[in-house]
Amino acid sequence: MTPADLSRTVLHAVRRAVDEDALRAPVPARVRVERTRPGGSGDYACAVALQLAGPAALPALEVARILRERVAAEPGVGRVEITGPGFLSFTLDAPAESDRAVLAAVREQGIAYGHGDALRDEIHQLHHVREVRAAVTAHTVRRLLVAQGARGRTTCEQAPDPDWVRLGVTVDAHGTPPTPLTEIRPVPAGATAGELLERLGPDAARWGLLRAAGHDRAALGPELLVQGEANPLFRVRYAHARARALTRGAAALGFTAEAAPYGESSTEPAAHGASSTEPAGASPAAQAANAAPAPYDRAARPLLDLIADHPGVLLAGARHRAPDRVARQLEAVAHAFFDFHDSCPPLPAGDEKPSAAHRARLAIAEAAGTVLAGGLSLLGIRAPEHL
């Protein structure tokens, strides 16, 4: 079960409770679930009971109990707890099944993974001044909104700078709008589009303009062109290129990705640098337990969580008109990808034969590459397959 699946499950529970007259409150358009913070209970949590308590004229704890009964019986949900004043905390059943569902969704949807229709009934008209950072930000926010099903339009106070086209920016109209529109007004870049293109090129310029939050000054120095780990843009694009290289390497070795659980065993390769803890001469039962497939290795957990959270990040970026959230998400995915890659190599080494573990690791790596490519595309930045 993905976070989007869980959100729909909780929303369905609310609708059922209303239909059964157990809850008298308007059904919300959507339910927001978030990954539980460190130290919290369960995998995900939501505050829908607190939202509905007022309209339902019931204590939040009572609303939470009504919803818990209906969510707990749903497939994929292992446990539902009520915490604090009425938060619902969810522990998903069979993590490996949930992981496979996420990886299957990425494989099926490709770079459109994370796009949706949560904002399908919304129309956004974005207006900005004749300044390059405002123009790039408004253009990117519109792309994020459209990816979530909204309709969007961008206008500029004056005729657009012709150099904006080289940055991939288009404007639907210019002039003073007859009614107030949503203003996109980040801290100015302090340089023109032409100057940035000459110094940085389109990809580095767009990353520099979008990476910082709108209220912060954009970093637009030569560090954006450094081919090294200290440059977040290089690291993100290198992670994508490396993921694509793994696919090519696996094809040359005659195997493909397969999203399936794996673990250390006598028949599967252990994580890089790990060794078996089963003593020699162990009983057949112990050896069988050691050889049985286990959920994905713990080194994959941060990366799998980030991939699962990606749709929520894209939706939040659209709702808050904050493309910097997407950029930071891509940085986190790239960092987790390299940690995973180094701990659990997706390709066999030396005389090692491709195994189920390699196929499973490759599936995670490919999903990370797809997430990176899709995120860069929404930011208007190329994701080359070779660096």
Side-chain angles (χ1 to χ4, degrees):
M1 177 175 287
T2 67
D5 293 333
L6 180 58
S7 175
R8 286 190 290 269
T9 297
V10 178
L11 183 59
H12 178 63
V14 174
R15 190 171 290 113
R16 277 180 53 205
V18 170
D19 291 344
E20 295 166 4
D21 207 29
L23 196 61
R24 295 183 179 180
V27 178
R30 63 186 70 89
V31 171
R32 182 180 181 183
V33 299
E34 295 182 328
R35 190 167 293 282
T36 304
R37 292 185 174 87
S41 175
D43 300 315
Y44 294 94
C46 81
V48 67
L50 281 77
Q51 296 172 238
L52 297 175
L58 290 172
L61 287 171
E62 179 61 25
V63 176
R65 280 191 285 271
I66 291 170
L67 297 179
R68 179 178 61 181
E69 295 172 2
R70 289 159 176 81
V71 176
E74 293 293 328
V77 178
R79 186 171 71 253
V80 183
E81 299 173 90
I82 300 172
T83 60
F87 291 102
L88 288 169
S89 296
F90 310 98
T91 300
L92 301 184
D93 198 13
E97 292 295 334
S98 176
D99 294 336
R100 281 199 294 273
V102 169
L103 297 177
V106 178
R107 192 176 188 87
E108 178 182 343
Q109 298 168 30
I111 64 170
Y113 172 68
H115 295 202
D117 61 358
L119 308 182
R120 62 185 176 278
D121 298 325
E122 299 183 9
I123 300 174
H124 295 262
Q125 299 196 57
L126 311 174
H127 190 67
H128 60 86
V129 297
R130 192 179 189 271
E131 191 275 326
V132 62
R133 189 179 182 198
V136 170
T137 301
H139 179 260
T140 306
V141 169
R142 180 181 178 276
R143 293 168 70 103
L144 292 172
L145 289 166
V146 170
Q148 299 303 322
R151 286 181 286 171
R153 191 168 185 266
T154 57
T155 59
C156 182
E157 283 186 354
Q158 304 171 44
D161 182 340
D163 284 330
W164 290 356
V165 174
R166 296 162 59 198
L167 281 169
V169 173
T170 56
V171 175
D172 295 307
H174 67 271
T176 303
T179 57
L181 302 178
T182 302
E183 289 274 350
I184 302 295
R185 195 179 289 270
V187 174
T192 66
E195 291 168 346
L196 293 176
L197 286 162
E198 183 177 352
R199 287 194 288 110
L200 301 172
D203 290 330
R206 284 190 70 103
W207 179 271
L209 292 167
L210 297 170
R211 169 57 183 84
H215 55 75
D216 293 328
R217 186 169 296 280
L220 297 164
E223 64 276 5
L224 289 169
L225 299 176
V226 173
Q227 302 287 294
E229 291 189 2
N231 177 5
L233 173 58
F234 173 80
R235 190 172 177 82
V236 167
R237 299 214 294 181
Y238 181 53
H240 168 263
R242 180 58 187 154
R244 296 296 177 250
L246 291 171
T247 300
R248 295 192 297 271
L253 294 171
F255 76 97
T256 58
E258 181 181 346
Y262 69 91
E264 278 81 54
S265 75
S266 58
T267 59
E268 299 288 4
H272 188 62
S275 60
S276 172
T277 57
E278 191 68 37
S283 69
Q287 291 177 10
N290 190 45
Y296 288 114
D297 185 271
R298 72 182 65 179
R301 189 78 265 146
L303 182 54
L304 284 164
D305 287 346
L306 285 165
I307 293 171
D309 290 344
H310 187 65
V313 173
L314 296 187
L315 180 57
R319 280 182 174 154
H320 296 283
R321 300 187 288 278
D324 57 289
R325 295 189 179 205
V326 179
R328 289 196 298 274
Q329 161 77 355
L330 299 184
E331 290 179 24
V333 171
H335 182 81
F337 168 81
F338 284 117
D339 284 349
F340 166 71
H341 175 280
D342 294 344
S343 298
C344 302
L347 298 183
D351 295 332
E352 194 177 14
K353 300 296 183 182
S355 67
H358 292 116
R359 291 190 291 273
R361 295 170 185 176
L362 181 63
I364 300 173
E366 288 184 345
T370 299
V371 164
L372 294 171
L376 287 171
S377 176
L378 284 172
L379 297 180
I381 298 170
R382 293 172 299 166
E385 298 215 352
H386 303 271
L387 276 182

